[in-house]
Amino acid sequence: MIDESRAALPNEGVPAEQVLAEIRELRATDRPTHGGRLFAYVYDPAVPGLDALAAAAYAESAHVNGLDPTAFPSLLAMENMLVAAAARLLGGGPDTSAPDVVGSVTSGGTESLILAVKTARDARPDIAAPRIVVPASAHAAFAKAAHYLRVELDTVPVDPTTLRPAAADVAAAIRPETVLVACSAPSYAHGVVDPVEQIAEVAAAAGVRCHVDACFGGWTLPYLRRLGVPVPPFDLAVPGVTSISVDLHKYAYAPKGVSVLLHRDPQLRAPQYFAYADWPGYTMINPVISSTRSGGPIAAAYATLRHLGDDGYLELTRRTWAAVRTLADAVRGTDGLRLAAEPESTVVCLTATDDGPDLFVLVDELAVRGWHTQPQLSYAGLPPSVHLTVTAAVAPRAAEFGSDLADAVTTARAAGPVGLPPELRALAGTLAPEALTGDLVAGLAAGLGLGPGGGLPDRMAPVNTLLDAAPPALRERLLVEFVSLLQRPAW
Ligand SMILES: Cc1ncc(COP(=O)(O)O)c(C=O)c1O
């Protein structure tokens, strides 16, 4: 039965106001993107008028096509200005040790990292089976890049206390087939800055490119440094760093769809381009993965940067850092919890002490109290943890967090961990991913409250507890199955 009242393509068009009202109604089920209580997915500076400015700028250029910069010089100009701004912030440009820096605007961190890997791979056509070396804490986008590009991924463990890789381990992992070494500044999961200087040095000694993934925090680290927070060298000022990425849709507070990938010089960037003239249509020359792309996100990012300005970002970083310290103090002051790492950027990552609460239950209890945090599963000897991406919007709310956290811990302790049936726990620990059948997935999903077509349980602790009991390969399979259950056409 087709529900015409909600069809994306109704028989007769629906008036504009009604369509917008419908979207607002759908949005009411989302987590709150504003208000400083959502600690992942969104980056909110809470600057009055900024959303309206970005939306207006977006609308100006929404129909401009980045496919051909000669047809739309406005986009080329704005891209070049964004690249220059990112380069200046990250140790490049005139009067620096990276005067020839060049870059591209991509759709996001994942695209920037895929392109960094592709560029390094294509710079070495002599290597038949290319490999990249990344810390175990590197963003999953490197694994995606390796998967898409058929490059082998060599991961280097991180120290369980510092959560950083050792440069000596990176050096040992470099092989003759290695085309790229990468590190994070900072890592997403824990917010720690890798020893970029030492890693870049071992990469350079081996004649290998070194990419710094500053997608998450590249826009805040320079401002944190100016505020007196100790930030180790991490950018193009470090010899041996050949490329660096920073997402403008994170801490530059631009609407989603904009990241910048910088290369130290044009020669290093050259293999990034894809050109094709061997067909009867237009010759295609793409610096990035998409061909047709909207000018909207680029214009919105340009407007955001120009409106906030350097002093604006400094002030927003000051507020964010104050919020980080308040939240970190709340964790330190809560019995049963500890910081997974001392905050050195804009992440607060907490974990439980031996006699602490179950973290997955805690995350649900925090959500009940209006705080939306992100659970991280145990991995390679690291315990489960809770991730908080802190943005400037959190500052006015931060003081309220401590009492709710303490309260949530008390409730989570009293409730205890989710009791998975022993046979289910055993299954999660032993099942080979390829042995997962459709029936088994459907049974598990129903038991966990995941319904076809979008049904989600109120509490996620049972899902997270089951996933946590499974090794990564089974987690991946289970989540693919669960998500594909949710992604069904709405008739
Ligand atoms: C360090 C880091 N790199 C890459 C990415 C991927 O960025 P995106 O989600 O924009 O593709 C993220 C996202 O959180 C990140 O934190």
Side-chain angles (χ1 to χ4, degrees), residues 43 107-111 113 139 141 184 186-188 213-216 247 249-250:
Y43 298 79
S107 65
T110 300
E111 186 179 357
L113 299 184
H139 194 274
S184 317
S187 63
Y188 177 79
D213 175 7
C215 284
F216 178 80
D247 291 355
H249 63 202
K250 293 193 170 82

Side-chain angles (χ1 to χ4, degrees), residues 219-310:
W219 208 267
T220 46
L221 290 180
Y223 292 105
L224 283 173
R225 186 184 281 150
R226 274 163 60 179
L227 291 169
V229 179
V231 173
F234 73 95
D235 59 16
L236 289 163
V238 175
V241 170
T242 51
S243 57
I244 186 166
S245 48
V246 60
D247 291 355
L248 305 189
H249 63 202
K250 293 193 170 82
Y251 282 100
Y253 295 119
K256 306 235 180 294
V258 189
S259 168
V260 174
L261 170 61
L262 301 171
H263 296 274
R264 186 176 283 279
D265 62 48
Q267 213 191 330
L268 286 163
R269 179 177 64 174
Q272 186 184 310
Y273 286 90
F274 177 79
Y276 199 73
D278 210 359
W279 74 304
Y282 56 87
T283 297
M284 196 160 87
I285 308 139
N286 294 154
V288 296
I289 295 177
S290 295
S291 201
T292 285
R293 57 199 171 103
S294 169
I298 291 163
Y302 172 74
T304 304
L305 263 64
R306 279 213 41 95
H307 185 60
L308 291 177
D310 188 63

Side-chain angles (χ1 to χ4, degrees), residues 302-325:
Y302 172 74
T304 304
L305 263 64
R306 279 213 41 95
H307 185 60
L308 291 177
D310 188 63
D311 56 348
Y313 285 112
L314 188 63
E315 174 54 26
L316 290 170
T317 309
R318 191 195 311 279
R319 286 183 210 163
T320 307
W321 185 243
V324 165
R325 280 180 306 176

